[in-house]
Amino acid sequence: MKFEGTDTYVATEDLMVAVNASITLGRPLLIKGEPGTGKTVLAEEVARALNKPLIQWHIKSSTKAQQGLYEYDAVSRLRDSQLGDEKVHDISNYIVKGKLWEAFEGDESPVLLIDEIDKADIEFPNDLLLELDRMEFFVYETQEQIVAKNRPIVMITSNNEKELPDAFLRRCFFHYIQFPDPDTMRDIIGVHFPEIQKTLVSEALKIFYEVRDVPGLKKKPSTSELLDWLKLLMAEDMPEEILRERDPNKLIPPLHGALLKNEQDVHLFERLAFLTRRENR
Amino acid sequence: MFTEFFYELRNAKVPVTLREYLTLLEALDKGVARYNVNEFYYLSRSALVKDEKNLDKFDRVFGKCFEGIEFTAEDDVHEIPEDWLKQLTEKFFTEEEKAALEAMDWDELMETLKKRMEEQDERHEGGNKWIGTNGKSPYGAHGYNPAGVRIGQDKNKNNKAVKVWDKREFKNLDDGLEIGTRNMKVALRRLRRWARDGNAEELDLPDTIRSTAKNAGYLDLKMVPERHNSVKVLLFFDVGGSMDPHIKVCEELFSAARTEFKNLEYFYFHNCLYEEVWQDNVRRRADKLGTYQVMHTYPHDYKVIFVGDATMSPYEIVHPGGSVEHWNEESGESWMQRMLSVYPKAVWLNPVPEGYWDSTPSIEILKQIMSHRMFPMTLEGLERAMKELSR
């Protein structure tokens, strides 16, 4: 059972080692990196490559660790008691299973994605320490111990909005997805748009890395934005000459809306365009 | 097995623990890395480093500990372009030697060049590998390998001309002592005060059971509002002049505070607090707000944080009319006192390092006015300040 990238996902060597280490040892893998470098997609691709079910748990600011294990639906039990339903005598009818429980129960070990763990409260990762370490937890209401039949492959993504506790980090493998170099980027594009012309790619990539190098950008465009942009360029049937022409009057790349997501960044570009025009005069 | 490496990492202040070390050994035992230095590097990095800011330190220690393990003398010298060599000869050889070189064949030339570079290196750098970073090597960032001359950017990815850890790709992520927003948020969290108000949205189970029982078993649902942070904060920022170098850290504090506190109001002042503050720096001349108005608008339970370097002429604090910008009827000191009597919970955060405070009289004066509740704008200072505020 080894992960070596898929036909739609280019994995660098270091990423493969990290993923395989976490699969082999059954430890969670924590993935960080710039937004849009394929953190969430990784879990989907690992599940696909290893042919395992994927269970996704998306974290919000209000998510509590307990919700991943189970929830006790007291209200419907109270309601059923009112209606004299027979179900009411068994409390286990009102235990709603969470994503973690779901993952522990599967017959083959699934891939469990805990997406954007940093969105939750700062105590959230601490509340999951034991559960992720031993892959078991206790249901107080029914007095039963839930133990994972097969250790799921746990992938956790973080956008660095909050620092994660040390005790939690110690239990994980860690990988920081580095922004891909131009060669890897070309591979990634080849995987997504096999029929795209080579010249268009190299011109677009040149512009893309130039945009990334502009100092003072609030949000640098990332891989997912580049892919969107290329899709647009292809849809518009943009001739590559337009990309190639380095006319200072048109400093802003065509269809820039896909690359620059921030009004201030667009302004910055317009200002730069204005400055170059003045220099040329 | 790699105990020395482990301790070297700890010495370099990479926070590794025994548990992580054992994980690494376990992974090696299970054959995750197949006796290949690169895989070992990736594996140990993934197992031992948990924060991208430590990746650079890790790379440095790895380079130091495992130097020379990898094959070194790959014979790819022939890939060096002609003009690189030319530059090199100009740098390392004298005129006569250059003339002599004309007679040498390629291999000889490379050999001599290598020797010369080694000599040069020992004399100046003490064997530092990363010659490129010192601006001496014409090879750019990746430098040269003492065992052979190589070109930094190799086109073939599998032909590892440069060891990955020597590239130190993560260099710019090492944030050292600087504080980032997330750390600030963690520090600001100390100020949390939970309270329930607003719309009742959560089921209050104890109360529901109690009232259902009272209701002779007839279901009576009770809801409570969700808990949230109810702390209220007024932030006063010093802007312009001597504060310009500190803008970045102030922005970070501001954005951290904005997400952490729902009840946050912010104002700007220049150098010292006087009778007017403003909320928009672009329109600061037009949209001024009386300091009295602020004090009358926000109740006493607001906590006040001043952010400023407090570096100015002492007159600007203690004398009426001392302000550099306008004629102030009353001294900054009396405005500060007034503010502090309205808001007893107040601190001053100063981006100037604490060690320099003694040498600036105005900082001393303001520190006295704040009755020593002035803290440096570091993580540790921020924590102390929040502790003081939540007392």
Side-chain angles (χ1 to χ4, degrees):
Chain A
M1 206 164 64
K2 270 216 176 317
F3 174 70
E4 275 160 350
T6 64
D7 50 346
T8 49
Y9 193 88
V10 178
T12 50
E13 196 189 346
D14 47 347
L15 179 63
M16 281 190 270
V17 172
V19 170
N20 287 325
S22 98
I23 294 175
T24 315
L25 297 200
R27 300 267 162 80
L29 174 65
L30 171 69
I31 304 157
K32 280 201 215 168
E34 267 183 60
T37 39
K39 298 189 290 291
T40 309
V41 184
L42 175 67
E44 291 166 16
E45 295 295 331
V46 169
R48 217 162 60 85
L50 303 179
N51 214 355
K52 286 176 182 306
L54 173 70
I55 297 174
Q56 304 193 32
W57 185 17
H58 297 283
I59 307 297
K60 292 186 284 181
S61 63
S62 55
T63 308
K64 305 217 160 43
Q66 185 64 32
Q67 293 170 346
L69 310 178
Y70 67 92
E71 279 179 293
Y72 171 43
D73 188 358
V75 179
S76 49
R77 194 176 189 209
L78 279 170
R79 191 199 53 219
D80 283 355
S81 76
Q82 212 86 94
L83 300 172
D85 198 320
E86 271 310 301
K87 254 168 61 180
V88 83
H89 298 296
D90 187 2
I91 195 167
S92 62
N93 285 331
Y94 301 96
I95 302 285
V96 182
K97 288 173 188 174
K99 297 283 183 194
L100 220 59
W101 192 336
E102 219 179 285
F104 285 2
E105 241 182 7
D107 283 327
E108 56 171 335
S109 63
V111 177
L112 172 66
L113 166 69
I114 304 180
D115 203 12
E116 314 208 16
I117 196 167
D118 53 330
K119 294 277 177 299
D121 191 80
I122 201 129
E123 289 304 329
F124 179 89
N126 276 335
D127 295 345
L128 284 178
L129 280 185
L130 190 73
E131 285 76 7
L132 288 179
D133 204 20
R134 297 229 207 108
M135 300 284 181
E136 59 183 45
F137 62 90
F138 189 69
V139 185
Y140 292 96
E141 281 79 358
T142 56
Q143 297 288 309
E144 73 183 302
Q145 183 81 14
I146 305 294
V147 185
K149 286 190 200 154
N150 298 297
R151 281 179 87 94
I153 300 166
V154 184
M155 307 229 151
I156 302 165
T157 70
S158 162
N159 268 329
N160 243 352
E161 281 184 21
K162 285 179 194 119
E163 196 146 23
L164 299 170
D166 287 342
F168 179 78
L169 292 175
R170 276 203 289 278
R171 287 164 169 81
C172 304
F173 279 99
F174 171 75
H175 183 73
Y176 184 85
I177 298 191
Q178 182 75 346
F179 197 81
D181 56 33
D183 279 339
T184 318
M185 191 54 104
R186 218 160 273 149
D187 292 346
I188 294 174
I189 292 170
V191 149
H192 285 268
F193 307 111
E195 72 278 18
I196 200 167
Q197 311 150 4
K198 266 222 166 82
T199 41
L200 181 71
V201 174
S202 53
E203 289 307 323
L205 270 184
K206 217 182 279 166
I207 295 187
F208 173 71
Y209 279 96
E210 267 170 27
V211 170
R212 270 184 70 86
D213 280 343
V214 169
L217 277 190
K218 286 256 174 195
K219 161 82 179 75
K220 287 185 178 174
S222 64
T223 317
S224 66
E225 271 126 19
L226 173 68
L227 293 179
D228 284 347
W229 187 50
L230 285 174
K231 209 186 281 172
L232 272 179
L233 290 179
M234 278 165 75
E236 292 272 317
D237 228 354
M238 185 73 68
E240 66 209 59
E241 291 78 53
I242 295 198
L243 292 179
R244 198 174 299 148
E245 89 184 59
R246 285 288 190 279
D247 183 357
N249 294 328
K250 293 183 191 141
L251 195 81
I252 304 184
L255 302 168
H256 63 269
L259 287 179
L260 303 169
K261 300 286 177 66
N262 192 308
E263 213 179 294
Q264 280 152 301
D265 289 348
V266 178
H267 282 323
L268 181 76
F269 255 84
E270 279 165 357
R271 254 204 323 272
L272 285 176
F274 178 73
L275 284 177
T276 31
R277 222 169 313 167
R278 224 173 35 179
E279 273 168 23
N280 288 348
R281 200 170 286 167
Chain B
M1 214 167 155
F2 303 108
T3 331
E4 202 178 308
F5 176 47
F6 177 69
Y7 280 105
E8 281 288 335
L9 280 175
R10 285 193 69 92
N11 285 344
K13 298 274 183 290
V14 180
V16 280
T17 58
L18 190 59
R19 193 189 157 114
E20 281 148 340
Y21 180 53
L22 290 175
T23 309
L24 171 65
L25 293 185
E26 196 187 332
L28 284 173
D29 191 38
K30 295 221 171 128
V32 175
R34 290 159 307 184
Y35 310 104
N36 167 333
V37 187
N38 271 329
E39 282 194 13
F40 173 68
Y41 161 71
Y42 291 138
L43 175 68
S44 50
R45 191 178 77 186
S46 173
L48 300 175
V49 186
K50 299 300 161 67
D51 195 331
E52 64 272 20
K53 68 175 181 236
N54 292 323
L55 285 172
D56 181 47
K57 283 185 222 154
F58 177 83
D59 283 359
R60 263 177 287 171
V61 175
F62 194 95
K64 199 170 122 200
C65 283
F66 296 100
E67 191 187 343
I69 279 194
E70 240 214 329
F71 50 87
T72 38
E74 224 178 87
D75 211 11
D76 51 5
V77 282
H78 290 281
E79 287 171 23
I80 296 176
E82 204 71 44
D83 50 326
W84 285 80
L85 268 182
K86 229 180 188 170
Q87 272 184 27
L88 269 183
T89 31
E90 264 152 34
K91 187 153 177 139
F92 288 100
F93 294 90
T94 61
E95 284 300 324
E96 301 108 89
E97 278 170 327
K98 265 192 236 166
L101 275 176
E102 307 274 287
M104 277 191 209
D105 71 7
W106 181 273
D107 291 332
E108 257 178 286
L109 178 119
M110 288 315 297
E111 196 53 39
T112 323
L113 186 59
K114 196 176 89 189
K115 267 195 210 135
R116 182 52 55 93
M117 283 173 78
E118 268 166 9
E119 280 166 27
Q120 178 91 356
D121 191 54
E122 272 153 27
R123 220 181 303 142
H124 289 288
E125 298 292 333
N128 187 351
K129 279 174 94 148
W130 294 289
I131 184 169
T133 58
N134 296 324
K136 195 178 71 176
S137 162
Y139 284 123
H142 299 157
Y144 83 101
N145 187 313
V149 188
R150 301 206 182 151
I151 290 299
Q153 275 295 338
D154 201 300
K155 278 191 202 74
N156 183 357
K157 258 194 290 183
N158 300 321
N159 182 9
K160 292 266 185 298
V162 179
K163 295 178 213 157
V164 258
W165 50 91
D166 273 357
K167 281 204 235 160
R168 295 181 62 198
E169 278 174 8
F170 294 95
K171 198 169 168 211
N172 51 353
L173 293 174
D174 187 350
D175 61 358
L177 282 175
E178 239 174 74
I179 50 180
T181 35
R182 61 209 152 108
N183 295 342
M184 282 188 176
K185 279 185 206 163
V186 176
L188 290 177
R189 233 152 256 275
R190 282 181 170 274
L191 255 192
R192 275 183 180 182
R193 185 137 311 162
W194 293 109
R196 295 183 184 275
D197 53 28
N199 284 344
E201 280 168 343
E202 256 179 16
L203 177 73
D204 185 355
L205 202 53
D207 197 22
T208 306
I209 293 171
R210 204 178 308 122
S211 51
T212 305
K214 264 192 205 149
N215 217 357
Y218 199 74
L219 187 57
D220 184 10
L221 288 182
K222 292 283 173 202
M223 308 296 267
V224 280
E226 212 179 332
R227 267 171 11 131
H228 55 81
N229 195 356
S230 71
V231 118
K232 300 178 228 171
V233 177
L234 294 180
L235 258 176
F236 288 87
F237 280 104
D238 181 0
V239 284
S242 54
M243 279 300 282
D244 285 347
H246 308 299
I247 275 182
K248 191 168 168 282
V249 76
C250 288
E251 276 180 346
E252 280 178 350
L253 176 73
F254 183 56
S255 75
R258 261 267 266 266
T259 48
E260 191 52 35
F261 307 123
K262 284 229 173 73
N263 296 316
L264 171 80
E265 296 294 335
Y266 58 93
F267 303 96
Y268 298 104
F269 62 94
H270 185 64
N271 278 357
C272 185
L273 189 74
Y274 301 111
E275 64 276 3
E276 279 170 330
V277 291
W278 58 94
Q279 279 195 302
D280 186 348
N281 272 314
V282 181
R283 303 184 42 81
R284 62 172 284 199
R285 306 273 167 217
D287 289 351
K288 283 201 174 183
L289 204 64
T291 309
Y292 266 131
Q293 202 185 328
V294 174
M295 291 187 221
H296 294 156
T297 314
Y298 303 99
H300 303 311
D301 59 345
Y302 268 81
K303 296 172 195 294
V304 172
I305 303 173
F306 294 100
V307 181
D309 59 357
T311 304
M312 61 198 111
S313 144
Y315 292 107
E316 293 178 51
I317 306 174
V318 293
H319 277 270
S323 165
V324 283
E325 289 197 321
H326 68 296
W327 179 260
N328 51 315
E329 288 296 330
E330 282 173 286
S331 67
E333 184 178 5
S334 50
W335 279 107
M336 285 299 295
Q337 301 285 15
R338 209 167 276 150
M339 201 73 186
L340 293 177
S341 63
V342 176
Y343 304 106
K345 299 271 185 216
V347 289
W348 187 295
L349 289 174
N350 197 332
V352 177
E354 205 167 0
Y356 298 116
W357 290 3
D358 294 343
S359 42
T360 314
S362 63
I363 296 185
E364 277 298 301
I365 296 171
L366 272 170
K367 205 172 147 195
Q368 294 296 335
I369 296 174
M370 293 297 299
S371 37
H372 291 278
R373 286 173 296 173
M374 182 181 278
F375 304 93
M377 200 130 108
T378 57
L379 265 192
E380 176 267 339
L382 202 58
E383 293 224 346
R384 260 159 57 205
M386 293 307 117
K387 220 169 167 177
E388 173 68 43
L389 276 184
S390 55
R391 226 182 247 170

